[in-house]
Amino acid sequence: MKTYKIAAIPGDGIGGEVITAGITVLDALAKRRGSFAFDIQRFPWGADYYLEHGQMMAEDGLETLKPFDAIYFGSAGDPRIPDHITLWQLRLAICQGFGQYANVRPTRVLEGVRSPLAGVGPGDFDWVIVRENTEGEYAGVGGRAHKGFDNDLAMDVSVFTRTGVERIHRFSFELARSRPRKLLTMVTKSNAQRHGMVMWDDIFSQVAADYPDVTTDRMLVDAMTTRMVLDPGSLDVIVATNLHADILSDLAAALSGSMGIAPTANLRPEGDFPSMFEPIHGSAFDIMGKGIANPIGAFWSASMMLEHLGEADAADSLMVAIERVTAGGEMMSQDLGGTATTNEVTAAVIDAIHGDNE
Ligand code: ATP
């Protein structure tokens, strides 16, 4: 029997609650199927670790994580510590340290969930947003000088490399090719950003020549927001830069019904380093410790992790169980208009995995 070694990093805020729920569901699924198991090791990295040790993860954190088959991540962020420290010392340190260049964010309205878009429901849109995850606007290049003086200055430099841009476009074309509509929309801002974004567009056209079976179109990022709201059914796979996709995918999550539902995979397609799976939401301190966080984003991320591990059948069956619960309408957490707690939603999904509610 195959045993998958998973590093769990619950992190901050509701991260601990949803990752604990996710691990319970993964263990239940493994037991139910009987063909694989998980060896899950938890790492206490995050804000509390920072306050004790002065850093968000252990010095040798990346070395420790490298042998794992996958990383299951909660969230990083804490009101006691500046956001750029929590983000850069943990999540981005792992994404960049392991070259997880493809950030993949599927979005659709699950059965039983209401989109804030009038007249839009399950089946009306089915997007995968692909976010470039290692460079662009979040390359970390820049500086600050003369702090506290009148000539205080700060620079963040967007970095686009041919290697980085070509591999994310190629990944997106492959993904688009694998889906029924074979449709890829490229998001840009090359009218205003006339160097990096123009190269981004040029390389997209060059890669497109290798995929004549994929239909492409391009959108300026500002116009893309209106298209997502006004004509959601016209989109399928979407590729955008680190910053643009960060913003568009929060909009996408809200349009799918709640920030608490949406999943993310930070993929290292070559497999020489582990990939990382996490709900799209952050630490949500306003609801931390209340036991009401929606764990579905963490469950859907676990399904993406299973698919990445080669357990496509189990991944599908987890999604079926999740949608059986949302379709039932009784076990909805507060963000979805219900009153169910994290534990109640988790138990309902486990029941659905066992087919007990049929
Ligand atoms: P961060 O700064 O770490 O990104 P945040 O609290 O600013 O975190 P999010 O956690 O992304 O932002 O979420 C914004 C709001 O959406 C939260 O304050 C919370 O009310 C709601 N929310 C997010 N995730 C969930 C969830 N899983 N279940 C219920 N509500 C959620």
Side-chain angles (χ1 to χ4, degrees), residues 14 18 75-77 83 258-260 280-287 292-295 335:
I14 61 170
V18 299
S75 94
D83 281 343
S258 167
M259 283 289 291
I280 195 176
H281 63 74
S283 40
F285 265 82
D286 52 327
I287 57 166
I292 57 169
N294 185 348
D335 56 312

Side-chain angles (χ1 to χ4, degrees), residues 165-217:
V165 174
E166 185 171 340
R167 68 187 178 183
I168 199 65
H169 285 331
R170 209 166 275 287
F171 179 91
S172 305
F173 273 100
E174 290 290 336
L175 179 63
R177 173 177 270 178
S178 73
R179 289 165 56 90
R181 288 177 74 181
K182 301 190 195 311
L183 171 62
L184 175 61
T185 300
M186 184 269 278
V187 177
T188 185
K189 191 64 188 171
S190 51
N191 57 343
Q193 293 176 293
R194 59 205 173 114
H195 307 296
M197 289 273 68
V198 171
M199 187 173 100
W200 170 267
D201 295 359
D202 287 346
I203 295 175
F204 183 81
S205 303
Q206 290 158 17
V207 175
D210 293 338
Y211 297 87
D213 51 325
V214 175
T215 306
T216 60
D217 64 353

Side-chain angles (χ1 to χ4, degrees), residues 243-259:
L243 171 65
H244 293 165
D246 188 8
I247 298 165
L248 294 178
S249 53
D250 263 30
L251 171 61
L255 297 180
S256 75
S258 167
M259 283 289 291

Side-chain angles (χ1 to χ4, degrees), residues 56 61 99 142 147 156 160 181 227-228 256 260 268 277 309:
M56 289 288 285
K147 204 171 169 181
D156 282 292
F160 292 93
R181 288 177 74 181
R227 181 164 163 196
M228 287 167 69
S256 75
R268 173 69 181 175
F277 302 81
L309 292 170

Side-chain angles (χ1 to χ4, degrees), residues 105 107 115-117 125 127 129 221-230 232 235 238 243-259 262 280:
R105 302 183 156 191
T107 312
S115 166
L117 290 175
F125 67 88
W127 303 334
I129 298 179
V221 64
D222 40 346
M224 185 64 171
T225 58
T226 53
R227 181 164 163 196
M228 287 167 69
V229 171
L230 299 177
L235 296 161
I238 297 156
L243 171 65
H244 293 165
D246 188 8
I247 298 165
L248 294 178
S249 53
D250 263 30
L251 171 61
L255 297 180
S256 75
S258 167
M259 283 289 291
I280 195 176

Side-chain angles (χ1 to χ4, degrees), residues 12-350:
D12 306 325
I14 61 170
E17 297 163 52
V18 299
I19 292 303
T20 298
I23 290 172
T24 315
V25 162
L26 280 169
D27 281 338
L29 186 65
K31 223 175 250 162
R32 170 75 178 174
R33 298 187 75 87
S35 54
F36 59 85
F38 293 107
D39 172 7
I40 299 177
Q41 194 176 333
R42 289 175 84 110
F43 293 92
W45 300 335
D48 288 337
Y49 190 91
Y50 177 89
L51 293 174
E52 200 176 321
H53 301 275
Q55 51 199 28
M56 289 288 285
M57 71 172 161
E59 199 71 61
D60 60 353
L62 289 180
E63 263 165 69
T64 306
L65 293 174
K66 192 166 183 282
F68 284 86
D69 293 314
I71 303 164
Y72 191 35
F73 188 84
S75 94
D78 188 296
R80 298 169 294 178
I81 305 168
D83 281 343
H84 64 272
I85 291 180
T86 49
L87 185 63
W88 275 97
Q89 287 195 10
L90 192 56
R91 194 183 161 274
L92 288 184
I94 296 170
C95 290
Q96 297 199 352
F98 286 156
Q100 295 165 346
Y101 61 83
N103 181 285
V104 178
R105 302 183 156 191
T107 312
R108 61 189 174 83
V109 183
L110 298 181
E111 288 297 333
V113 173
R114 239 199 350 237
S115 166
L117 290 175
V120 171
D124 288 335
F125 67 88
D126 182 3
W127 303 334
V128 183
I129 298 179
V130 179
R131 169 182 176 186
E132 199 295 315
N133 210 28
T134 53
E135 52 177 49
E137 306 86 345
Y138 298 171
V141 175
R144 178 96 182 252
H146 312 306
K147 204 171 169 181
F149 291 89
D150 287 348
N151 57 345
D152 195 351
L153 75 93
M155 283 186 304
D156 282 292
V157 180
S158 294
V159 173
F160 292 93
T161 65
R162 175 164 285 275
T163 304
V165 174
E166 185 171 340
R167 68 187 178 183
I168 199 65
H169 285 331
R170 209 166 275 287
F171 179 91
S172 305
F173 273 100
E174 290 290 336
L175 179 63
R177 173 177 270 178
S178 73
R179 289 165 56 90
R181 288 177 74 181
K182 301 190 195 311
L183 171 62
L184 175 61
T185 300
M186 184 269 278
V187 177
T188 185
K189 191 64 188 171
S190 51
N191 57 343
Q193 293 176 293
R194 59 205 173 114
H195 307 296
M197 289 273 68
V198 171
M199 187 173 100
W200 170 267
D201 295 359
D202 287 346
I203 295 175
F204 183 81
S205 303
Q206 290 158 17
V207 175
D210 293 338
Y211 297 87
D213 51 325
V214 175
T215 306
T216 60
D217 64 353
R218 57 179 67 195
M219 294 292 297
L220 294 177
V221 64
D222 40 346
M224 185 64 171
T225 58
T226 53
R227 181 164 163 196
M228 287 167 69
V229 171
L230 299 177
D231 194 9
S234 69
L235 296 161
D236 194 75
V237 179
I238 297 156
V239 60
T241 67
N242 216 330
L243 171 65
H244 293 165
D246 188 8
I247 298 165
L248 294 178
S249 53
D250 263 30
L251 171 61
L255 297 180
S256 75
S258 167
M259 283 289 291
I261 292 176
T264 301
N266 300 283
L267 297 180
R268 173 69 181 175
E270 290 77 4
D272 49 349
F273 294 108
S275 294
M276 180 161 74
F277 302 81
E278 54 172 337
I280 195 176
H281 63 74
S283 40
F285 265 82
D286 52 327
I287 57 166
M288 175 189 162
K290 295 183 178 164
I292 57 169
N294 185 348
I296 290 180
F299 297 164
W300 193 342
S301 306
S303 169
M304 294 183 84
M305 182 164 77
L306 284 164
E307 193 176 337
H308 176 75
L309 292 170
E311 300 290 348
D313 251 23
D316 287 348
S317 70
L318 178 51
M319 285 316 293
V320 168
I322 292 168
E323 275 198 279
R324 205 175 285 168
V325 171
T326 54
E330 281 146 32
M331 281 298 157
M332 295 297 211
S333 49
Q334 266 179 26
D335 56 312
L336 295 177
T339 56
T341 63
T342 310
N343 285 345
E344 287 169 343
V345 177
T346 306
V349 170
I350 291 173

